[in-house]
Each structure stands twice: as C-alpha cells, then as structure tokens.
C-alpha cells in the first residue's frame, strides 16, 4: 500500500539522521572519554542493536546504517569548508557509496538517495562537525574567517564595548590579486626595504572585521578607522608577540594589519645565545614591541580623531587610560595590556588586572594606584594566556593562568597571592568563567583531557569549584575550542559565548540551552532496541526468526 511505502521511506530518512546523532552524542563520547571501558560498552550496545533486528532484515539495515555513517561524516567534512572542488567530490561520494550499499546490502537506490538527501539538508542547516555542541548549546552563528595557519593558529578575538552593547573584533585575510601586486611592486620605492616588505606580506595582510548582532541574526562587517578607535590592537597580536610586531594602515576605509619581525636577525640571535639573559631579553623586547605597536596604531588613527573615545580601559604610553564611572582614568602602570576588570583583592573593589612581561598587577580604580603585583620567575614564568572571572557565588574575581600546569590565583592587597588550584595535568586550559544567572554559581569553562585515557587531547568542558576542587558539570566532545568569550551583543540581552576552533578560521556563537538532548537520544535508542526484540520474538514465521 502507498501509505506503508511512505512510512518505510520516512523510516529510512529518520534512521539516517538518528544513527548519525547517536554516533556524535553516544558512540564517540564512549570511546573518547572511557577508553577500553567505552570500547567494551560500545561493542555490547552494537550487538544488542544488531540482534534486535529480525534476521531477514539484518543485512539490509546494517548496510544502510554503515552507508549513513560514512556519508554523514563525508558530507560534514565537505560542507564544513565548501568549495567547487568539494561539491564535485560530494557528488562522486554519494554515487560511489550508493552503488556499494546497493551491491552489498541490496538496499533500494531510492531509499539510499532519500537518506543521502536528508543528510545533505541536515548538514546545510548545521555541519555535523558542530553537532557535539547541541547537547548543551544552540549554535546561533558560525563562520569561517580566512586565516593563514602559519600567521594565526587560532582566530584572535577581542570583545569591544559599544553604546548598544558589545561586538567582537577579529581578522580575515585580504584577497590579493596579481594585478594589484604588480602595481604595488612598481610603486614600492619609498624605502630600501619597501619591496621586501611588500613581497613578505603578500597574501599575509588582514582586514579587521567585527561580529555584530542585528535582531536575531549575526553578521560580519569591516571595521572602519572611525570604529577602530575603541579597539585595543594588542589583543590581536598575542599569538606572535613579542618576536613579531604588527603594523596597521587604512585602505579603502578598511583597517589593514600586516606583520614583520620585531628585530633584525642579529638581534634575535643575540637574544638567544645567552640563556641566562633570555627572560630579561624577551621582557625588553616585549616592552619595545608593545610601545612600537601602540605608537603605530595611534599614528594610523590620528587623521580620524585618534583614540580619544574610549568605551573601556587601555594601557597607553605607560598609563591606564579611559573612562570609568563617568570619570577620566589616568594611572601610571608598568604593564602593557588590560586583561580584565573586577573585584580581585576583595568583594566590592573596583580593580583592573594589567599584564606585563612576566608579571601581573592589580590597579585600584578607587585609589588610582597599583595595589598588588605578582611576579613570575625564571623557573616558573607567567604565561601571557590569562583570563579572569568569578570562581564562586561570591562577588570576588580570581585569575586563571594557563601556564603548565594551569593555576587559579587569588590576589591580595598585601601582595601575598594565593594559589587556589593547580591543574592535575599539564594539558588542562582555562578558557572562561561564565556566571549562571539562574543559580549565581559560575561555570568554569576549560579545555580538559580525559581522566581515563592516556591522551593530551582536550575537550570543551564545564566545571564548578567546590572545596578546592573542580567538579565536572558537562562535556562537549569537541577539541581545541579556544578564545572563549562571554558576550552580550545587546545591553540587557542574552549572553552568548563566542569561541574559535584552534588550527582553523572557524568562529562560533553559542547560546546555552538546557534541553535533555543526550538523555532523549539514549532513551529513543533503548526503545528502538526493546521494540526490536519484542517484534522479533512475537512474530511467527521464518522471516521473524
């Protein structure tokens, strides 16, 4: 009958999607987090499902399941970074897998193509590579910024305050053309090394872009020189600081960034041949590079009003400057970058954390002075990968330092900083601390390896700090989620998490959700297996046996 045929097609379509969801949310976590124990559990689960299928249909459903899994992973990888060549590969893959599944499992071609169409549509909605986030997040937006991995192993992100809320500033590669290169090469005669700089930076120049929200949607737009006045440029150069320095210029109302060595090869080699002075040499180089970059940024903005309008606080020429509580701030500091604002030495304090070469300073906005400093040393230098945020439900903030191993530091006005937590392995990395508005307790978001598997591979994980230890809340089985930033694009609006995937140009905007995705998927799979056994043992006839 026609309606039975329609139900059969619907069953194949839904199974193609469901089996890939089970692979992402059940199978991979078992293997990634529980090692050999997970493998045993997976074998048991597969056998339970396999023998719940009546023998007459087992070959067909097993073949269609393998077809769906192979095609789902292939389609996801292709549509994650689509191109004309990858579309051709997609067509070849669908035809090839369809033929193999028809030949080996005798599944009708129309049903195979129905499953393939369902998987392609699902990946166009959201690439399956991002499905792991759906257990705890809604993927509100994702984009691929064109970056050269050798220049930026991860996407730099800076949260900028605006009159309407916040936006996120990043970089994307400028698409050069040979015609423009020829023109620029002929005109590169203003200095002895002008042509060398031009050729070095060909295909390595980047335009500043901002991620903003418009209604319920998100989009990227170019950063103009006027809007760049509120950007802290040092947040965009931490990947290669201090050995490489950045330069900025305005082209066609766009802000362009390019890079060059911070010093000559001779100076670089001299800094490294004396190991005893290496730290001090790097500190000196860092101070010089930061000063040169700040000066270049100010010169670039000078025709557009300079850096007069500051929505936040920045370090300029040895002073913490900006506005706070309607008052101008002008405090002498020795650091070069603002890490965060909060209450570090006690609840109710109004303070700024400043990062410098191998030290951290807490600056009080109430007393207009540096109130506490933490100095690293040669044996345990401070990482420049530092985030701040709440640790408990109190109104006091702490400092998460991603050294090896990572640490949580609590400053004190007396100068005696406390180490509240030291990571049990060198691979754990703190990404952000996000306060849950419902409970008031913060979620400490990390990249953290499995406690069972002997592997440094890290997964996107949330913890709560209790009695000196981190207690796990949830884990998303996606690796290399870095530069995690809580962002409110609109004042008093929804809080999102903006993050990047290390080694790629991918940027994600995540919105926390609490739907029981994993329990519901596990329950549906269990019901399917149970119904399979009920049907198998209640049917009569050879087909059921």
């Amino acid at each position: 009958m026609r309606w039975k045929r329609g139900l059969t097609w619907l069953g194949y379509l839904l199974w193609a999607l469901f089996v890939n969801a089970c692979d992402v949310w059940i199978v991979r976590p078992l293997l990634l987090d529980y090692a050999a124990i997970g493998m045993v559990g997976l074998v048991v689960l597969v056998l339970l499902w396999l023998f719940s299928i009546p023998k007459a249909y087992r070959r067909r459903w097993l073949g269609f399941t393998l077809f769906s899994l192979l095609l789902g992973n292939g389609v996801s990888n292709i549509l994650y970074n689509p191109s004309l060549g990858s579309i051709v590969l997609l067509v070849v893959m669908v035809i090839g897998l369809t033929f193999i599944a028809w030949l080996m499992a005798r599944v009708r071609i129309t049903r195979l193509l129905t499953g393939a169409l369902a998987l392609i549509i699902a990946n166009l909605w959201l690439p399956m590579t991002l499905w792991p986030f759906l257990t705890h997040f809604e993927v509100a937006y994702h984009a691929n910024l064109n970056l050269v991995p050798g220049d930026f192993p991860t996407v730099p992100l800076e949260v900028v305050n605006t009159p309407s809320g916040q936006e996120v500033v990043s970089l994307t590669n400028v698409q050069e053309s040979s015609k423009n290169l020829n023109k620029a090469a002929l005109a590169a005669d203003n200095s002895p090394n002008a042509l060398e700089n031009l050729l070095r930076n060909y295909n390595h120049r980047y335009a500043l872009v901002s991620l903003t929200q418009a209604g319920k949607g998100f989009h990227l737009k170019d950063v103009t020189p006027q809007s760049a006045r509120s950007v802290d440029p040092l947040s965009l150069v931490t990947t290669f600081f201090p050995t490489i320095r950045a330069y900025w210029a305005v082209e066609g109302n766009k802000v362009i960034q390019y890079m060059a060595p911070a010093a000559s090869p001779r100076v670089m080699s001299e800094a490294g041949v004396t190991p005893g002075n290496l730290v001090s040499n790097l500190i000196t180089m860092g101070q010089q590079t930061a000063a040169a970059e700040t000066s270049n940024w100010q010169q670039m903005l000078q025709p557009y009003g300079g850096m007069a309008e500051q929505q936040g606080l920045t370090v300029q020429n040895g002073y913490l400057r900006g506005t706070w509580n309607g008052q101008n701030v002008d405090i002498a500091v020795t650091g070069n970058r603002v890490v965060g604002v909060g209450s570090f030495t006690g609840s109710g304090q109004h303070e700024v954390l400043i990062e410098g070469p191998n030290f951290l300073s807490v600056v009080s906005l109430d007393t207009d002075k540096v109130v506490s400093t933490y100095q690293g040393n040669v044996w345990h230098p401070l990482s420049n990968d530092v985030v701040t945020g709440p640790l408990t439900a109190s109104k006091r903030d702490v400092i998460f330092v991603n050294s090896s191993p990572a640490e949580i530091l609590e400053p004190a006005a007396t100068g005696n900083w406390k180490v509240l937590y030291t990571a049990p392995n060198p691979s754990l990395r703190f990404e952000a601390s996000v306060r849950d508005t419902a409970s008031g307790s913060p979620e400490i978001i990390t990249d953290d390896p499995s406690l069972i598997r002997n592997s440094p591979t890290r997964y996107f994980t949330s913890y709560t700090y209790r009695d000196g230890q981190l207690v796990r809340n949830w884990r998303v089985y996606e690796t290399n989620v870095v530069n995690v930033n809580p962002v409110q694009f609109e004042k008093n609006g929804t809080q999102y998490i903006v993050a990047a995937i290390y080694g790629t140009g991918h940027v994600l905007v995540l919105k926390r959700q609490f739907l029981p995705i994993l329990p519901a998927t596990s329950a549906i799979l269990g019901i399917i297996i149970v119904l399979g056994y009920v049907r198998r043992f209640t049917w009569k006839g050879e087909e059921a046996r």
Side-chain angles (χ1 to χ4, degrees):
M1 296 176 67
R2 184 174 297 178
W3 67 270
K4 287 186 177 180
R5 189 180 301 118
L7 285 178
T8 302
W9 279 16
L10 180 62
Y12 275 95
L13 184 151
L14 294 177
W15 182 253
L17 298 174
F18 181 73
V19 73
N20 277 279
C22 289
D23 178 47
V24 172
W25 298 331
I26 298 176
V27 173
R28 294 182 193 178
L30 278 174
L31 298 177
L32 295 175
D33 214 14
Y34 298 102
I37 299 174
M39 177 63 74
V40 173
L42 177 60
V43 171
V44 172
L45 181 63
V46 170
L47 291 177
L48 285 173
W49 167 74
L50 190 62
F51 286 104
S52 71
I53 305 172
K55 188 175 181 180
Y57 303 121
R58 195 172 295 160
R59 175 184 176 187
R60 187 181 309 166
W61 278 100
L62 180 60
F64 183 76
T65 299
L66 293 176
F67 164 82
S68 300
L69 290 172
L70 290 172
L71 187 62
N73 280 275
V75 171
S76 175
N77 291 330
I78 288 174
L79 295 184
Y80 196 45
N81 292 298
S83 65
L84 182 59
S86 63
I87 299 302
V88 175
L89 179 61
L90 173 62
V91 174
V92 173
M93 181 178 63
V94 170
I95 294 174
L97 288 176
T98 299
F99 175 75
I100 294 173
W102 171 80
L103 183 66
M104 303 297 294
R106 293 301 176 185
V107 182
R108 292 182 183 179
I109 292 180
T110 53
R111 294 173 180 175
L112 293 170
L113 293 178
T114 298
L117 181 61
L119 290 171
I120 292 173
I121 293 174
N123 277 277
L124 288 173
W125 166 70
L126 182 69
M128 203 174 294
T129 308
L130 301 178
W131 284 20
F133 291 100
L134 297 181
T135 54
H136 299 284
F137 294 94
E138 171 191 338
V139 182
Y141 178 81
H142 64 95
N144 183 26
L145 297 177
N146 187 19
L147 299 178
V148 178
D151 294 337
F152 295 94
T154 187
V155 179
L157 301 173
E158 184 198 353
V159 180
V160 177
N161 295 319
T162 66
S164 60
Q166 293 178 316
E167 64 182 20
V168 180
V169 174
S170 187
L171 300 167
T172 187
N173 191 250
V174 175
Q175 299 301 305
E176 311 278 12
S177 67
S178 57
K179 182 179 179 180
N180 292 338
L181 174 63
N182 293 333
K183 289 183 179 180
L186 292 174
D189 56 0
N190 58 340
S191 66
N193 59 349
L195 182 59
E196 177 188 353
N197 288 335
L198 173 67
L199 297 177
R200 178 193 293 123
N201 290 289
Y202 182 70
N203 278 335
H204 295 273
R205 299 192 309 145
Y206 296 87
L208 272 67
V209 293
S210 63
L211 174 62
T212 60
Q213 184 178 19
K216 294 184 178 180
F218 297 86
H219 67 278
L220 290 167
K221 65 179 183 180
D222 293 321
V223 174
T224 64
Q226 293 78 11
S227 59
R229 299 172 67 189
S230 59
V231 175
D232 178 10
L234 299 185
S235 298
L236 302 175
V237 300
T238 54
T239 301
F240 43 79
F241 182 86
T243 57
I244 302 294
R245 64 157 292 189
Y247 296 80
W248 294 274
V250 177
E251 294 182 9
N253 207 35
K254 298 179 182 179
V255 179
I256 305 299
Q257 175 177 310
Y258 60 96
M259 289 78 71
S264 66
R266 181 182 61 81
V267 173
M268 292 287 191
S269 60
E270 289 177 353
V273 295
T274 52
N277 298 328
L278 180 60
V279 174
S280 61
N281 289 339
L282 288 177
I283 290 174
T284 301
M285 184 181 297
Q287 293 171 336
Q288 294 172 347
T289 301
E293 287 175 334
T294 301
S295 175
N296 179 261
W297 180 261
Q298 291 174 338
Q299 291 176 8
M300 184 269 295
L301 289 179
Q302 200 61 42
Y304 307 94
M307 299 179 64
E309 298 179 4
Q310 290 294 328
Q311 298 293 334
L313 297 167
T314 60
V315 177
Q316 303 175 33
N317 300 323
Y319 286 86
L320 177 65
R321 287 174 175 156
T323 58
W324 173 76
N325 201 22
Q327 301 293 323
N328 291 329
V329 175
D330 193 33
I331 305 172
V333 295
T334 55
N336 51 41
R337 187 172 76 93
V338 174
V339 177
V341 178
S343 301
F344 299 105
T345 61
S347 300
Q349 302 296 316
H350 304 97
E351 296 167 328
V352 180
L353 181 67
I354 304 292
E355 179 188 41
N358 207 31
F359 72 86
L360 295 169
S361 293
V362 177
V363 182
S364 172
L365 297 174
D366 300 312
T367 60
D368 292 344
K369 65 179 182 180
V370 176
V371 295
S372 186
T373 298
Y374 183 85
Q375 183 73 51
N377 53 55
V378 176
W379 299 274
H380 191 63
L382 275 173
S383 166
N384 65 351
D385 186 358
V386 179
V387 294
T388 64
L391 185 65
T392 63
S394 69
K395 295 183 179 181
R396 186 170 182 176
D397 296 294
V398 296
I399 301 167
F400 303 89
V401 181
N402 287 312
S403 51
S404 182
E407 295 179 329
I408 301 177
L409 303 179
E410 182 182 72
T414 59
N416 297 320
W417 291 38
K418 295 180 181 179
V419 179
L420 300 180
Y421 178 81
T422 301
N425 59 74
S427 299
L428 185 145
R429 170 190 168 94
F430 295 108
E431 293 294 342
S433 178
V434 182
R435 191 180 296 279
D436 185 352
T437 55
S439 65
S441 298
E443 285 190 331
I444 302 166
I445 298 178
T446 71
D447 280 319
D448 189 29
S450 167
L451 292 177
I452 297 179
R453 291 179 64 224
N454 184 22
S455 170
T457 304
R458 299 177 291 196
Y459 306 103
F460 195 47
T461 311
S462 165
Y463 288 95
T464 297
Y465 182 80
R466 296 175 189 165
D467 301 325
Q469 299 297 322
L470 297 183
V471 180
R472 193 164 97 182
N473 300 316
W474 49 259
R475 171 166 284 179
V476 170
Y477 291 87
E478 179 63 39
T479 61
N480 298 324
V481 183
V482 297
N483 287 359
V484 179
N485 295 274
V487 180
Q488 274 190 305
F489 290 94
E490 297 178 345
K491 286 187 176 180
N492 302 319
T494 302
Q495 179 174 260
Y496 293 89
I497 289 178
V498 179
I501 305 296
Y502 186 86
T504 73
H506 292 287
V507 177
L508 307 175
V509 179
L510 306 174
K511 179 183 177 182
R512 191 77 165 89
Q513 59 90 3
F514 299 91
L515 296 176
I517 301 293
L518 179 58
T521 305
S522 303
I524 293 172
L525 179 60
I527 292 172
I528 290 173
I529 293 175
V530 171
L531 291 178
Y533 279 106
V534 171
R535 182 180 182 185
R536 181 181 176 190
F537 291 118
T538 55
W539 270 25
K540 298 186 181 295
E542 182 65 27
E543 187 176 74
R545 294 193 299 271

